[in-house]
Amino acid sequence: MLDKSRFFVLGAALFSGVSAALYPAVVVKTHLQVAPPPQGATATAAAILRRDGLRGFYRGFGASLASTVPARALYMAALEATKSSVGSAAVRLGGSVVWTPVDVISQRLMVQTSSTCRYRGGGDALKKILLADGVRGLYRGFGLSIVTYAPSNAVWWSSYAMAQRFLWRVVGTDRSESYASLMAVQGASAAVAGGAAALVTMPLDTVKTRLQVMEADAAAATRPTLASTVRDLLKEGGWAACYRGLGPRWGPMSLSAATMVTTYEFLKRLSAKEGCFD
């Protein structure tokens, strides 16, 4: 039986640390997706560091953390309550109503620089987006978020199951009672699953990110649409442009998945009431 208060407090602390460690890669990925002409991840990271220093890698971190930590905590709580991916899927889909606006705000903050600083923070970004586009400005890419989740979830769980079966054959099922072996196999399987999901959903994520970050064209009095975003992206670099930032996205998604699964098991042990762990 879990001590739920300890479970959520420890989870929030651990996930905050994981989010902080992976956030710079997310910033680099977002820059690669929205800022032509394309350049490599290393060159992009060097440009951010040269232009804005280390703080450039953490623009929008506060807004992002506001959704990332609760999202993972709710996901794990649903997984623990239902013991299946169905409950966690319902939480993630329903949570998109809250997380999409936070995503829009954090990504707008990510891509601005010290020389093109339009927003002074999350609150200022929220106010300006509402003034420019209304509530719908906060929900750009909402439909794509929902559409992206279906293939991402399917690929993740199928890859996770296949990776586990393969790794247990390598490690030996006789070692499945070992906690260390269990954590290692689950963590490695989750990393494979996260990487596979990143690869499959990359084009959708690139389009969604550009749609969320692009400003309305004041001169033409038009707002970016899904069709215009896809058209401009393909015009810039063809289908290869849909995979800009794959490396910086693949790495964090793999590591994030591995840490989420292993942390989940670790937290269950730490939060188990004495004599009640199963």
Side-chain angles (χ1 to χ4, degrees), residues 1-3 6 267-274 276-277:
M1 185 174 180
L2 288 180
D3 181 337
R6 184 190 298 176
L267 286 176
K268 282 178 64 177
R269 285 181 170 263
L270 282 184
S271 304
K273 293 181 179 178
E274 189 172 353
C276 297
F277 181 76

Side-chain angles (χ1 to χ4, degrees), residues 9 12 21-22 36 54 78 81 99 102 108 161 183 206 220 257:
V9 169
L22 299 179
L54 288 176
W99 301 325
V102 176
R108 296 275 185 105
M183 293 283 279
T206 299

Side-chain angles (χ1 to χ4, degrees), residues 214 223-233:
M214 288 168 60
R223 293 181 174 85
T225 64
L226 177 59
S228 66
T229 301
V230 172
R231 185 174 59 249
D232 291 343
L233 179 63

Side-chain angles (χ1 to χ4, degrees), residues 136-190:
R136 67 178 178 178
L138 295 173
Y139 283 92
R140 284 188 190 173
F142 176 75
L144 276 177
S145 295
I146 300 300
V147 171
T148 301
Y149 180 73
S152 176
N153 192 52
V155 170
W156 201 100
W157 285 103
S158 59
S159 300
Y160 181 68
M162 287 189 293
Q164 278 210 90
R165 286 195 296 269
F166 172 77
L167 289 173
W168 279 125
R169 284 199 297 268
V170 173
V171 174
T173 54
D174 56 309
R175 300 182 63 182
S176 60
E177 296 301 318
S178 166
Y179 179 65
S181 297
L182 177 67
M183 293 283 279
V185 168
Q186 288 187 338
S189 300

Side-chain angles (χ1 to χ4, degrees), residues 19-60 106-107 109-112 202 205-206 209 213 243-252:
S19 297
L22 299 179
Y23 195 77
V26 178
V27 172
V28 172
K29 182 270 297 185
T30 305
H31 274 266
L32 287 169
Q33 288 177 317
V34 304
Q39 55 182 340
T42 302
T44 298
I48 294 172
L49 183 62
R50 183 171 58 252
R51 184 176 56 236
D52 298 319
L54 288 176
R55 64 178 297 180
F57 291 106
Y58 285 93
R59 291 188 183 275
S106 64
Q107 289 185 138
L109 293 172
M110 280 182 202
V111 299
Q112 70 178 6
M202 188 67 200
D205 183 74
T206 299
T209 300
V213 169
Y243 287 89
R244 288 178 186 168
L246 176 61
R249 183 170 185 253
W250 182 87

